[in-house]
Amino acid sequence: MMKTHAFYSLLALCVSAACHAETYPAPIGPSQSDFGGTGLLQTPTARMAREGEFSLNYRDNDQYRFYSASVQLFPWLETTLRYTDVRTKKYSNVEAFSGDQTYKDKAFDLKLRLWEEGYWLPEVAIGARDIGGTGLFDGEYIVASKAWGPFDFTLGMGWGYLGTSGNVKNPFCSYDSKFCYRDNRYRQAGSFDSSQMFHGPAALFGGIEYQTPWQPLRLKLEYEGNDYSHDFAGKIDQKSKFNVGAIYRAADWADVNLSYERGNTLMFGVTLRTNFNTLRPSYNDSPKPAYRPEPQDAILQHSVVANQLTLLKYNAGFADPQIQTQGDTLYVTGEQVKYRDSREGIDRANRIIMNDLPDNIRTLRVTENRLNMPQVTTETDVASLKRHLEGEALGQETPLAQTRETPIVPDKTEQGWYIDKSRFDFRVDPVLNQSFGGPESFYMYQLGVMGTADWWVTDHLLTTGSLFANIANSYDKFNYTNPPNDSQLPRVRTHVREYVENDIYVNNLQANYFQYLGNNVYGQVYGGYLETMFGGVGAEVLYRPVDSNWAFGIDANYVKQRDWHSALDMMKFTDYSVKTGNLTAYWTPSFAQNVLVKASIGQYLAGDKGGTLDVSKHFDSGIVVGAYATITNVSAQEYGEGNFTKGVYVSVPLDLFTSGPTRSRANIGWTPLTRDGGQQLGRKFDLYSITSDKSMNFR
């Protein structure tokens, strides 16, 4: 009781000081709740973070540890992924399976803003917690928030975990009596069940967030609608429905939280944040070539061209550059390997060429290749470019006459120079494979190094192989040895433990033939050991116009499962074979040019048939956040825990962290559970990724 009085006295003192203050510091943005996502403590608010904000949150009390990641995908949509460590429960009763690991619950939350705050109207949002989880904390809510000076007031109504006290009548009961009852039984992990939404008892909740005159400190007072009568952790005593807390902004990227909840429980936590939209590279780079024109004769000198080719390679980032002329057009061709935003490479290439340009050239065409397939040609009018480089009088500026076109490759040219291409390449890269939240162990990993060798037999035929060496891994804890009793699915992915236990193995060894077929159509055929678990043959065709919102592709494969018993056995195959492939449509909505939707239908590795939907958001920094789900004709019972394949991923451009420009990326994926249904072949090359330069939207 003394602690409670102390907290309330401190809050009253701060409010009193604020009422006498003449000025208040500027707001520093909404804060994260205990569950992740913007909110007070146990309850949400209608507030949204800035678009692109990414928060990592940790909260700890006697019963639970909450680990969550929240991303503000759009100004109106907040998503949260959460793991809850239930400190009072074991993961399972089978010690040989889960050992002493405490129970881990996975959950996914969504919050959608209905309208923004106005002069009179509050900001209003609707949301749901624990979508597709076991239902430990599932709940729905509608909430409103209104600011007044340094105070931010919130009032909402919650159902499920947020409304167990039932302090108001569920308004939907008047519509249909079935809404008066809610099935509170916990569901199977990974299942989606919307039939209980807005059912059962309802409760009002709300509170105040107060920005103190000292800007780093904010205080929170909350009234919650949960009475903890259905808590998974066991009986929890609630002495008060009021919670109080403080949040301290330790740095622009870190908050420290302390609260006193239920009248008897301390909650401690931290939040780390950044913004995916505002991150920018800070690497050192060579300056762009200065514009110092020295017009050349129609027949270029070898020494001049040699210098241009060198600058194209090292300054503009074009590997294997070529310079050709035909009539009044000069062609530059190469593969951009330096700049993620290829416009930078185009600008530099044009400057390099313009400095030593023959007087008879009227058009520049710079064509970007990938794997010796042309992607896009940037055509620039020389006279227009010259005006821009020389500088135009203020008020008399003209737009640069430059367009992106379907690849234009001359059949024959009058002059041509190039730097010999290296046909062999070898590299060694670190590899970290990981999974979270499994019943055997919360975190499993495989750390190793991958040596990769590439040999171009011809300009179109590439042979490539990767040898993986284990440094350390913990997949010996992966105890999934038998599928569900009623499942007839072949084990196409759940032998992962047996594969990764080999210290050294050939990850892939294959031949690929790439060909640009003309009219924005690309093709490849391939064969060999295509991934860790499967080998075979296949082909893919893609139609992708330049800067189009649409693309279509199809791939077809016949594969056999690689033997997993030893590294030598992995060069052999088991008796299992399957035909697999997909028809895929790629769509960038006109109203959301930073979103990519991929929808595919086909047959998967286990022989099941269905479709995959993949939606990704591309932020201004180049970071990509996406989620996917696959539904097939396999029943939830046959699939097993998780019901269907799903996951999220983040792709991070490494030039945000490197000392120089690079096109490399780090990819982080999260799949709740590895099961055999809905599994796709892990092809090393896919044509849509290879042809990324055909779109200006995704860099």
Side-chain angles (χ1 to χ4, degrees):
M1 187 63 68
M2 292 285 290
K3 293 181 180 179
T4 305
H5 288 161
F7 265 87
Y8 291 158
S9 298
L10 177 62
L11 181 63
L13 180 62
C14 292
V15 171
S16 176
C19 291
H20 289 85
E22 295 182 359
T23 60
Y24 303 97
I28 56 177
S31 57
Q32 297 281 302
S33 70
D34 293 342
F35 285 83
T38 56
L40 291 168
L41 299 169
Q42 291 284 306
T43 62
T45 65
R47 298 303 182 193
M48 297 283 180
R50 290 183 302 158
E51 183 179 9
E53 182 162 308
F54 172 69
S55 299
L56 288 174
N57 310 291
Y58 169 74
R59 300 293 188 271
D60 192 332
N61 67 15
D62 292 339
Q63 293 82 30
Y64 300 111
R65 294 188 184 97
F66 298 111
Y67 306 87
S68 64
S70 184
V71 182
Q72 191 73 39
L73 285 177
F74 302 96
W76 45 269
L77 178 63
E78 174 189 270
T79 59
T80 300
L81 179 65
R82 181 177 56 259
Y83 272 103
T84 302
D85 180 7
V86 185
R87 306 173 73 169
T88 61
K89 301 281 187 178
K90 292 291 182 65
Y91 204 107
S92 75
N93 296 323
V94 183
E95 186 174 349
F97 187 63
S98 298
D100 293 330
Q101 183 186 189
T102 52
Y103 188 85
K104 306 294 191 300
D105 178 67
K106 299 175 285 288
F108 180 66
D109 304 347
L110 284 175
K111 182 166 69 175
L112 177 69
R113 185 173 66 197
L114 300 182
W115 62 76
E116 292 187 73
E117 181 178 11
Y119 186 80
W120 295 109
L121 290 176
E123 188 159 324
V124 178
I126 188 171
R129 281 183 180 170
D130 212 347
I131 303 173
T134 54
L136 268 61
F137 306 102
D138 67 337
E140 306 79 49
Y141 60 87
I142 183 168
V143 61
S145 295
K146 189 75 178 74
W148 183 52
F151 298 97
D152 196 24
F153 297 90
T154 291
L155 179 64
M157 179 179 291
W159 292 260
Y161 192 77
L162 290 162
T164 54
S165 67
N167 58 35
V168 294
K169 181 181 178 180
N170 185 346
F172 293 106
C173 284
S174 302
Y175 169 73
D176 193 324
S177 61
K178 70 179 183 181
F179 283 96
C180 298
Y181 306 97
R182 188 182 187 100
D183 184 355
N184 290 311
R185 289 176 297 179
Y186 301 124
R187 302 186 296 268
Q188 185 181 38
S191 62
F192 280 80
D193 182 7
S194 60
S195 64
Q196 296 301 306
M197 283 189 168
F198 301 100
H199 285 61
L204 294 177
F205 63 84
I208 306 169
E209 183 167 344
Y210 165 60
Q211 172 65 66
T212 71
W214 184 36
Q215 190 176 35
L217 181 65
R218 282 171 289 172
L219 302 177
K220 297 181 178 183
L221 172 65
E222 170 189 76
Y223 176 83
E224 63 172 317
N226 182 12
D227 65 5
Y228 296 90
S229 59
H230 300 291
D231 236 77
F232 184 76
K235 179 175 174 55
I236 294 180
D237 184 28
Q238 183 186 44
K239 292 187 176 180
S240 173
K241 292 187 180 298
F242 287 93
N243 304 323
V244 293
I247 176 172
Y248 175 71
R249 176 63 57 92
D252 289 341
W253 48 269
D255 288 343
V256 179
N257 304 268
L258 183 64
S259 58
Y260 190 67
E261 304 179 9
R262 303 196 294 270
N264 54 19
T265 301
L266 281 173
M267 175 81 82
F268 167 78
V270 295
T271 293
L272 305 178
R273 65 165 53 81
T274 188
N275 192 288
F276 288 163
N277 264 337
T278 59
L279 287 172
R280 292 293 183 271
S282 58
Y283 52 73
N284 296 316
D285 193 15
S286 55
K288 293 181 180 180
Y291 180 54
R292 298 189 180 94
E294 296 182 8
Q296 301 295 308
D297 296 332
I299 303 299
L300 292 175
Q301 300 177 16
H302 289 283
S303 59
V304 172
V305 177
N307 182 62
Q308 287 178 320
L309 290 171
T310 301
L311 288 172
L312 285 171
K313 181 174 182 178
Y314 295 104
N315 188 281
F318 283 95
D320 313 317
Q322 297 182 27
I323 295 176
Q324 299 167 292
T325 61
Q326 184 182 53
D328 63 356
T329 302
L330 187 145
Y331 296 85
V332 173
T333 306
E335 179 172 346
Q336 179 55 250
V337 296
K338 184 178 181 182
Y339 294 107
R340 174 161 50 93
D341 186 346
S342 60
R343 290 172 296 186
E344 178 70 19
I346 297 294
D347 184 28
R348 289 171 178 256
N350 281 339
R351 286 169 174 262
I352 291 166
I353 297 301
M354 287 291 289
N355 276 338
D356 300 289
L357 191 69
D359 287 331
N360 66 310
I361 299 298
R362 300 291 178 263
T363 304
L364 300 182
R365 288 175 175 168
V366 180
T367 299
E368 297 168 84
N369 287 342
R370 185 75 62 85
L371 297 178
N372 293 329
M373 293 186 295
Q375 309 289 300
V376 59
T377 295
T378 302
E379 182 172 301
T380 309
D381 178 73
V382 168
S384 175
L385 180 58
K386 183 178 180 181
R387 291 195 300 270
H388 275 255
L389 293 175
E390 290 176 344
E392 297 179 290
L394 185 64
Q396 300 180 19
E397 298 92 346
T398 58
L400 177 63
Q402 185 177 83
T403 58
R404 285 164 51 87
E405 308 287 349
T406 296
I408 303 171
V409 181
D411 293 331
K412 54 184 178 179
T413 57
E414 298 158 358
Q415 301 181 71
W417 299 267
Y418 59 92
I419 292 180
D420 282 330
K421 176 180 179 178
S422 174
R423 299 217 170 246
F424 181 79
D425 180 62
F426 178 78
R427 61 190 179 276
V428 177
D429 301 301
V431 175
L432 176 62
N433 298 315
Q434 52 193 338
S435 58
F436 298 87
E440 305 94 336
S441 177
F442 177 71
Y443 178 69
M444 288 184 285
Y445 68 92
Q446 180 191 32
L447 177 64
V449 293
M450 186 92 75
T452 301
D454 298 328
W455 177 39
W456 284 96
V457 181
T458 71
D459 286 343
H460 299 283
L461 179 60
L462 171 67
T463 57
T464 178
S466 297
L467 187 68
F468 183 87
N470 253 315
I471 296 176
N473 82 69
S474 62
Y475 275 92
D476 57 333
K477 299 176 182 177
F478 187 79
N479 295 324
Y480 184 91
T481 56
N482 293 299
N485 293 331
D486 57 351
S487 175
Q488 302 300 314
L489 290 176
R491 295 188 60 188
V492 296
R493 289 299 186 207
T494 52
H495 280 299
V496 58
R497 170 179 174 174
E498 289 89 337
Y499 284 105
V500 302
E501 279 182 341
N502 294 304
D503 291 332
I504 299 177
Y505 55 86
V506 173
N507 188 65
N508 74 286
L509 181 63
Q510 63 189 77
N512 282 71
Y513 187 87
F514 302 99
Q515 182 69 56
Y516 175 57
L517 303 173
N519 297 318
N520 294 303
V521 178
Y522 298 82
Q524 65 162 329
V525 293
Y526 44 86
Y529 300 102
L530 302 178
E531 51 145 282
T532 306
M533 301 182 187
F534 283 89
V537 296
E540 181 186 13
V541 176
L542 174 74
Y543 171 66
R544 186 178 186 180
V546 173
D547 293 330
S548 171
N549 287 352
W550 288 93
F552 300 93
I554 185 171
D555 67 275
N557 313 274
Y558 173 77
V559 295
K560 299 193 71 174
Q561 189 174 41
R562 297 174 65 179
D563 200 335
W564 56 81
H565 291 95
S566 70
L568 289 177
D569 286 333
M570 285 180 67
M571 305 305 290
K572 305 174 185 178
F573 294 98
T574 68
D575 294 334
Y576 180 74
S577 63
V578 65
K579 297 174 183 176
T580 180
N582 290 275
L583 175 65
T584 305
Y586 306 84
W587 176 47
T588 299
S590 58
F591 54 84
Q593 289 290 295
N594 51 9
V595 173
L596 176 63
V597 180
K598 295 190 291 185
S600 63
I601 56 173
Q603 180 162 293
Y604 297 85
L605 286 174
D608 48 334
K609 300 176 178 64
T612 298
L613 180 65
D614 183 314
V615 182
S616 57
K617 167 68 181 291
H618 295 240
F619 292 96
D620 292 347
S621 63
I623 293 175
V624 180
V625 177
Y628 64 89
T630 299
I631 305 293
T632 71
N633 57 352
V634 173
S635 68
Q637 292 74 23
E638 189 176 10
Y639 181 91
E641 185 180 2
N643 285 14
F644 59 92
T645 295
K646 52 192 169 294
V648 299
Y649 57 89
V650 179
S651 177
V652 181
L654 292 182
D655 63 1
L656 296 175
F657 312 102
T658 55
S659 59
T662 177
R663 290 196 126 194
S664 298
R665 285 180 167 270
N667 298 301
I668 304 168
W670 174 80
T671 302
L673 291 167
T674 299
R675 295 295 181 258
D676 294 308
Q679 296 292 335
Q680 292 183 321
L681 180 67
R683 295 182 295 126
K684 183 170 184 175
F685 302 103
D686 75 274
L687 291 176
Y688 192 83
S689 297
I690 292 171
T691 58
S692 60
D693 288 326
K694 296 186 77 73
S695 173
M696 293 289 288
N697 294 328
F698 309 132
R699 300 292 176 183

